[in-house]
Amino acid sequence: MLRFFPPARNFSLRRPYLYETVTGLSRLVFLLIGSTLIFALVCIHRLEGADVWQIAEQIRQSAPPRLAWIPSIFWLSLVPFQKWEYFRYMIAPWAPFSTILLGSAFYVRDIYHLPSVDRGLHYVISSLFAIFYPHIQVEGGRVDGADPDDNEDLEDRNLLVAIGGPGFAYIRPGNAVAFRDWRGALSVQSDRRHFMRPFEMIARAANLEDQHGHIDEVAAVTRDGIRVRLKNIDYRFCILSDEKYVETASNKRPRGERAAPRARQVPYPYSISAMETIAYSLAVTDKGLEPWHQGVRRVLNGALLGFIGTHDLDYLTAPRQDGKNPRRELRLELFAPALQGELRKVGAELHWMDIGFFDIDPMGEDKTQDPVDSTRTNLWAARWVGDAKTVRSYGEGVRLAFQEIGRAEAQAEMIMAITDALRNVDFGANGAETLRRTFLTRTAQILEALRDGKDKDRRRPPHAR
């Protein structure tokens, strides 16, 4: 209720542990113990007819002298414990309260599917009276020694995972934890003891140390259609470092450079935005949320498949060009800005990678024939056939061009011969008839000369043409 008032809400945000402790102990002292004592004292005075102040004074006088200075109002709390007739009046308020408390425990167990009622009772008592807080430990990116991505019974073993705060999260050095509640993200903490407010949960725990990844094999198809497998791939990566300078580091870097350096004061610098990316921007597969290391592996797999798919098998295994090193070029591509940008999207940066070795996949159902050899033969045959067709097409084009040139020259010679013949003709009185005869005669001579040349070309041997 107090959280609805701005001063109390601001105080609960600034000092959550102190706020929950004060309010919880206040409920324990004034709501439970105080109301029970007041009810018992009223019943003793009204029903038993005893003077509670007189009994309290007698208790104070019988106490040791060093405690005689304590006022009588304190000794009133011991009056119900003097006789059974007085003590029984304390049972009446405890009975309904215990019933309500047990009913709340059953309710919490049913809502959050807890394995037992005592888990629900533990949560109700710790959240109501600020005592017996549950705690959880984060070390090596693991929560209470278990991987939160693989261990499904972690919620049954720890209330802070199943329900959330209040409680303590002990974050060991080299770890970072993103916290959230039902409204959204809250904060990112590392290397400290963090008090989790009511319903505050662990969104993601990450190990800030360098992580090692291994890929058994990557199956891909080269540009020339041959399936290969890249085996025994090892790589090291870590969470993306903070791009701002580290305040406590001696060698500060201005904002905008690649990453903050590691220092003795800050051995594991990390980016808050990268941690939020790891916690809240994961891909969803058919098996659920994709773990962070699987996302990094997916990006590296895509880079390897892209490199293999754009090169031939001979280039990958035995390049004939001088100075060509496919492994070196693959490493350069893995550390290129494009791939680093893809890794930044999943909140990681790559430090080192060993690409293993190439293995050719036989893929053959017929053991007597190697499909790799047949694929290479077909590829080389296609290349040779293509080259032969190119040469043949070029020759055909040259031949047709020469034929067209010869035909054009023959036509030009015919026109020139007719023109020369017409210059020396005396047309006389019947000019039209003389022109027709001259033109036909000259044309017949030219055609006969062309026929004789073609017959000679046919009688020539093929090798002499």
Side-chain angles (χ1 to χ4, degrees):
M1 294 295 293
L2 295 178
R3 290 191 181 91
F4 291 100
F5 298 98
R9 182 171 62 251
N10 295 334
F11 182 71
S12 65
L13 294 176
R14 293 194 306 267
R15 305 292 296 273
Y17 174 67
L18 183 59
Y19 175 82
E20 293 297 330
T21 302
V22 170
T23 55
L25 293 179
S26 300
R27 286 189 291 264
L28 177 63
V29 173
F30 297 106
L31 179 63
L32 180 58
I33 300 177
S35 61
T36 303
L37 288 175
I38 293 174
F39 178 83
L41 293 175
V42 171
C43 291
I44 291 171
H45 178 70
R46 294 290 185 179
L47 301 180
E48 298 295 333
D51 189 354
V52 294
W53 287 101
Q54 185 179 0
I55 298 174
E57 185 64 23
Q58 293 175 359
I59 297 173
R60 188 178 68 84
Q61 293 177 0
S62 61
R66 63 178 181 274
L67 301 178
W69 60 272
I70 300 177
S72 299
I73 191 173
F74 172 77
W75 302 102
L76 284 176
S77 61
L78 301 180
V79 172
F81 298 96
Q82 300 304 311
K83 294 181 181 181
W84 166 250
E85 290 79 4
Y86 300 163
F87 181 76
R88 60 182 179 176
Y89 293 109
M90 297 185 64
I91 300 177
W94 273 88
F97 179 79
S98 300
T99 304
I100 295 174
L101 196 65
L102 189 61
S104 302
F106 276 99
Y107 176 78
V108 172
R109 185 200 66 173
D110 295 338
I111 289 296
Y112 292 100
H113 304 283
L114 299 178
S116 60
V117 181
D118 59 343
R119 297 277 185 178
L121 185 62
H122 185 191
Y123 177 78
V124 173
I125 292 176
S126 62
S127 60
L128 187 60
F129 300 125
I131 57 176
F132 308 122
Y133 279 135
H135 58 85
I136 201 168
Q137 180 172 294
V138 179
E139 186 173 5
R142 304 170 70 86
V143 180
D144 272 359
D147 190 350
D149 295 326
D150 301 333
N151 199 314
E152 298 180 356
D153 62 342
L154 186 58
E155 295 184 358
D156 299 338
R157 295 190 286 108
N158 199 293
L159 290 174
L160 297 180
V161 179
I163 304 176
F168 288 100
Y170 296 92
I171 307 173
R172 300 301 181 186
N175 296 269
V177 180
F179 294 95
R180 65 174 178 86
D181 62 1
W182 57 273
R183 291 174 296 183
L186 290 179
S187 63
V188 177
Q189 305 292 336
S190 62
D191 191 14
R192 57 170 298 184
R193 187 188 72 165
H194 176 70
F195 178 77
M196 300 172 62
R197 293 179 292 176
F199 301 107
E200 183 177 356
M201 303 181 66
I202 294 178
R204 178 67 55 177
N207 190 355
L208 301 180
E209 299 178 356
D210 290 348
Q211 304 294 308
H212 177 265
H214 178 77
I215 303 176
D216 292 333
E217 62 179 13
V218 175
V221 180
T222 60
R223 188 174 62 178
D224 48 359
I226 299 176
R227 289 188 58 181
V228 297
R229 295 183 183 272
L230 194 57
K231 294 187 175 182
N232 294 335
I233 305 169
D234 294 286
Y235 55 93
R236 295 190 69 84
F237 64 99
C238 73
I239 186 173
L240 188 66
S241 300
D242 196 356
E243 294 183 353
K244 299 182 296 183
Y245 62 83
V246 181
E247 294 287 351
T248 57
S250 58
N251 48 351
K252 298 179 180 180
R253 292 187 181 182
R255 182 179 180 88
E257 291 196 8
R258 178 177 176 271
R262 292 186 177 183
R264 183 180 62 183
Q265 296 85 352
V266 185
Y268 302 105
Y270 67 97
S271 172
I272 300 296
S273 59
M275 190 64 199
E276 293 176 349
T277 299
I278 296 173
Y280 309 112
S281 301
L282 295 177
V284 180
T285 62
D286 54 351
K287 298 180 181 179
L289 284 176
E290 181 184 46
W292 177 51
H293 57 86
Q294 292 293 338
V296 176
R297 178 174 180 174
R298 172 173 49 82
V299 174
L300 295 179
N301 271 341
L304 294 174
L305 291 176
F307 182 83
I308 295 175
T310 55
H311 294 85
D312 298 333
L313 178 63
D314 290 340
Y315 177 81
L316 297 174
T317 56
R320 294 187 176 90
Q321 297 87 351
D322 294 336
K324 293 294 184 178
N325 189 344
R327 292 178 175 272
R328 181 184 60 190
E329 293 190 5
L330 178 55
R331 292 191 184 95
L332 293 177
E333 183 169 340
L334 291 174
F335 288 94
L339 180 59
Q340 294 299 321
E342 293 297 325
L343 289 174
R344 291 176 66 90
K345 293 180 181 179
V346 296
E349 58 180 346
L350 185 65
H351 293 321
W352 168 82
M353 189 167 188
D354 182 13
I355 60 175
F357 62 93
F358 289 96
D359 185 19
I360 301 175
D361 191 357
M363 300 185 305
E365 297 181 357
D366 185 7
K367 301 300 182 179
T368 61
Q369 183 181 7
D370 189 359
V372 176
D373 293 340
S374 63
T375 304
R376 281 186 166 183
T377 302
N378 295 333
L379 179 64
W380 293 337
R383 186 179 305 168
W384 294 336
V385 170
D387 294 341
K389 288 183 178 180
T390 301
V391 174
R392 187 180 300 110
S393 299
Y394 179 77
E396 291 290 337
V398 172
R399 185 177 65 83
L400 293 176
F402 286 162
Q403 287 181 354
E404 293 297 330
I405 292 173
R407 187 177 295 108
E409 291 179 354
Q411 293 176 356
E413 291 179 359
M414 181 185 300
I415 294 173
M416 292 176 62
I418 295 174
T419 303
D420 292 338
L422 293 177
R423 289 177 182 175
N424 301 322
V425 174
D426 185 11
F427 293 98
N430 195 358
E433 180 66 20
T434 304
L435 178 63
R436 185 179 68 80
R437 290 180 179 178
T438 303
F439 182 79
L440 291 176
T441 302
R442 194 61 180 170
T443 302
Q445 293 175 354
I446 294 173
L447 293 177
E448 184 177 0
L450 291 175
R451 186 194 62 183
D452 295 340
K454 185 178 295 185
D455 291 340
K456 293 179 180 179
D457 184 67
R458 288 179 179 176
R459 292 193 297 268
R460 188 184 306 169
H463 63 275
R465 292 179 185 179

